[in-house]
Amino acid sequence: MEFRKRIIGYEGLYDIDRIGNIYSLARIWKNGRKRERILKPTTDYYGNQKINLYKNNKQTVFYIEKLVLEHFGVYYPNDSKCGDAAAAGIIIFND
């Protein structure tokens, strides 16, 4: 079973796991249906995966990689202050 976290700002609406699956949490729709599902991301021109999240009928676009890094790990950008890990663009995940 995968470990999931609530997406910050969208608690109670969406979850994310370490591999980038976005879950729309179960809620009752107008037709009375109630289910949880995995959302399908789209890909932009550069090959980055993005997802549209909705809150209060307003759409916001998020990149999957950025969401995973914000919720599960730390990213060292290419910056000389960070040393060898930064030069390699290494992503370090926290447990």
Side-chain angles (χ1 to χ4, degrees):
M1 182 173 187
E2 71 279 347
F3 179 69
R4 300 185 339 191
K5 289 187 176 181
R6 306 270 187 219
I7 294 182
I8 298 169
Y10 292 84
E11 294 87 355
L13 299 173
Y14 302 99
D15 281 353
I16 187 169
D17 65 15
R18 290 187 77 152
I19 60 173
N21 292 326
I22 307 290
Y23 298 85
S24 176
L25 299 180
R27 17 187 214 275
I28 298 174
W29 300 95
K30 292 179 183 178
N31 61 5
R33 293 174 52 191
K34 180 180 177 182
R35 69 176 189 158
E36 177 179 302
R37 66 186 188 108
I38 298 176
L39 301 178
K40 296 178 184 174
T42 59
T43 305
D44 68 4
Y45 177 79
Y46 301 102
N48 300 316
Q49 290 189 331
K50 57 185 180 178
I51 194 83
N52 298 320
L53 301 182
Y54 296 86
K55 183 176 179 181
N56 299 328
N57 293 325
K58 293 188 179 180
Q59 173 186 349
T60 308
V61 178
F62 292 96
Y63 285 97
I64 302 288
E65 180 180 355
K66 185 175 179 183
L67 285 173
V68 170
L69 292 174
E70 287 176 354
H71 290 83
F72 293 101
V74 193
Y75 176 68
Y76 293 103
N78 291 331
D79 186 349
S80 60
K81 296 177 186 176
C82 297
D84 294 334
I90 295 176
I91 300 171
I92 299 174
F93 286 100
N94 298 327
D95 284 329

